[in-house]
Every structure is written in C-alpha cells, then in structure tokens.
C-alpha cells in the first residue's frame, strides 16, 4: 500500500468505500454466484430493495469499474450486468466477510441490543443511571 496507511489517499480506503454501501456487495455477490443478470432478475434474486435502489447500486458499481452494463440491440431492448475482473476479484473478500458474519453475527446483534437497552435506561439529561 505504501506510505501512511491512514492517509487520505490510501488505496485501502477505496475498498472500504466500495463495501460501505449496504447493497453494493450484495449485488456483486449475486452476480458472482449467478453470472450476468438482467435488473429484474437481480431484484427477484436479492429481494428487499426497490428498483431505484438497485439502479443506484448498479450505477455506483459501474462507476467503480466493478460491473459492466451490456446492451443488446434487440426489440424490446435488453440490458444485463456482469462482473468485471475487479468485481470478480472482490468476491473473495466479500465471502470472507460473510464467513466472519456467520461466526460473529449473533455477538454483534447481542451487543447492539445491549447498547440500545442501555440507552433506554439513561436519564433524560443523558447521565447514566446506576
């Protein structure tokens, strides 16, 4: 990586920025598992997101060079999306994060629950109750 790993221009920040969006890594994963897909197929395979949100994710991924949009000269027009080399290379870290979540997800959710419950027990002025 070279230089200060926490510098503003650190290359590792690119990866964190790409993975920071809730749906981007899901779209990359689904395309990696299923190959090229049309937007409607992605929507039905992923579920839980609107066409607008999917379109935004696909545009972001295309902007970052992780997916390629392919248009076909057919009637009616057809478009599908496929992973680029960089997108395919991102599958290993996404799978590693998924494995981490499988092992530690319950602990994270329990910690979030404890935190939320502790916030409820705080006094209105923000002081902790003991």
């Amino acid at each position: 990586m070279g230089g200060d790993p926490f510098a503003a221009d650190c290359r590792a920040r690119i990866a964190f920025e790409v993975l920071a969006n809730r749906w981007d890594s899901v779209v990359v994963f689904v395309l990696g598992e299923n190959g090229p897909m049309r937007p409607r197929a992605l929507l039905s395979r992923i579920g839980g997101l609107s066409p607008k949100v999917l379109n935004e994710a696909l545009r972001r991924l295309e902007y970052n060079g992780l997916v390629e949009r392919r248009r076909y000269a057919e009637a009616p027009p057809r478009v599908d999306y496929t992973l680029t080399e960089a997108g395919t290379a991102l599958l290993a870290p996404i799978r590693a994060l998924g494995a981490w979540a499988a092992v530690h997800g319950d602990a994270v959710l329990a910690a979030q629950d404890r935190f939320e419950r502790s916030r409820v027990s705080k006094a209105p002025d923000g002081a902790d109750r003991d």
Side-chain angles (χ1 to χ4, degrees):
M1 288 192 296
D4 183 355
F6 300 107
D9 62 348
C10 172
R11 295 282 185 189
R13 288 187 182 205
I14 294 170
F16 295 124
E17 196 173 292
V18 166
L19 294 174
N21 184 279
R22 173 181 186 168
W23 294 109
D24 292 7
S25 57
V26 174
V27 172
V28 168
F29 181 80
V30 170
L31 287 172
E33 294 293 306
N34 298 286
M37 295 182 78
R38 297 175 77 170
R40 188 172 305 278
L42 279 165
L43 278 171
S44 69
R45 178 68 177 95
I46 295 170
L49 77 162
S50 69
K52 178 184 179 213
V53 171
L54 175 62
N55 188 55
E56 290 168 354
L58 289 167
R59 293 286 180 237
R60 242 186 335 272
L61 291 167
E62 186 178 13
Y63 171 80
N64 286 313
L66 302 175
V67 301
E68 179 182 313
R69 181 177 188 260
R70 296 190 294 195
R71 292 183 353 182
Y72 298 89
E74 299 176 352
R78 181 170 63 107
V79 173
D80 69 20
Y81 291 87
T82 189
L83 292 180
T84 62
E85 183 180 339
T88 300
L90 194 55
L91 289 170
I94 289 172
R95 287 183 180 119
L97 284 170
W100 176 88
V103 172
H104 301 286
D106 288 341
V108 170
L109 293 173
Q112 291 172 355
D113 186 52
R114 283 191 307 274
F115 183 84
E116 290 299 323
R117 282 186 279 124
S118 74
R119 291 188 60 146
V120 170
S121 69
K122 289 186 183 220
D125 62 3
D128 287 333
R129 292 183 184 166
D130 290 319

